[in-house]
Amino acid sequence: GTAAADGNLGCPWSGKLCDYDGHLETCGFVDVKCPFDCGMTFKRSEVASHETWCGNAPSICSTCTLPMRRWELACHADACPKKQVTCAKCRMTFCRDQQGSHLKNVCPKAHVQCPYAAHGCTTQPLREDLRKHVVEDQLEH
């Protein structure tokens, strides 16, 4: 067969012309586009290095395991539903996606409606004081 050399600058490959197309499929000196569509072009041998910092490379949130692109991680961290947050009222910690439920059903420092509201009681004690209110204000109910 006819001998050939790779014309890509720096590539030491030489071989049969019939093997040249196969070589180009793996040659580290061939220019390739970013596989993550960031728009950059670089040598195939630089793909692994590029992947470590490319903003379009796939990533996963370490808190909720949601897949996303690397550039989305910073914004997602501020809104991640599984991020631990602290209740401003009682200082309890829980996942952000539990915040509504915490305030509605659990937080001892949240104001709640008296069970006798339908009978005219307008008091809205803290959840932690509800029993005390019901017992102490029995006559008013």
Side-chain angles (χ1 to χ4, degrees):
T2 306
D6 192 337
N8 290 300
L9 194 59
C11 180
W13 183 87
S14 65
K16 294 179 184 175
L17 186 56
C18 63
D19 295 333
Y20 184 65
D21 286 342
H23 163 71
L24 288 180
E25 294 295 318
T26 60
C27 177
F29 293 89
V30 171
D31 284 335
V32 294
K33 291 187 182 214
C34 173
F36 312 116
D37 296 322
C38 77
M40 289 191 66
T41 301
F42 41 81
K43 302 292 183 206
R44 181 176 284 124
S45 61
E46 297 168 351
V47 169
S49 171
H50 176 76
E51 184 176 352
T52 64
W53 61 267
C54 179
N56 277 1
S59 193
I60 294 177
C61 173
S62 61
T63 305
C64 71
T65 68
L66 185 70
M68 63 191 68
R69 294 183 184 254
R70 183 174 287 127
W71 67 265
E72 296 173 297
L73 282 174
C75 292
H76 172 77
D78 293 334
C80 179
K82 298 301 178 189
K83 181 180 180 183
Q84 290 288 302
V85 294
T86 302
C87 177
K89 295 178 181 282
C90 72
R91 310 307 299 158
M92 231 183 229
T93 59
F94 43 83
C95 292
R96 176 179 278 120
D97 63 356
Q98 298 297 311
Q99 193 163 13
S101 174
H102 169 77
L103 289 172
K104 185 177 178 184
N105 303 314
V106 180
C107 182
K109 300 293 185 185
H111 286 277
V112 294
Q113 191 174 48
C114 173
Y116 295 100
H119 303 290
C121 182
T122 58
T123 303
Q124 292 190 348
L126 296 177
R127 180 174 281 109
E128 66 186 3
D129 297 333
L130 182 59
R131 273 203 182 103
K132 179 181 174 191
H133 162 70
V134 170
V135 170
E136 290 180 359
D137 294 338
Q138 280 183 50
L139 297 177
E140 293 174 27
H141 294 140

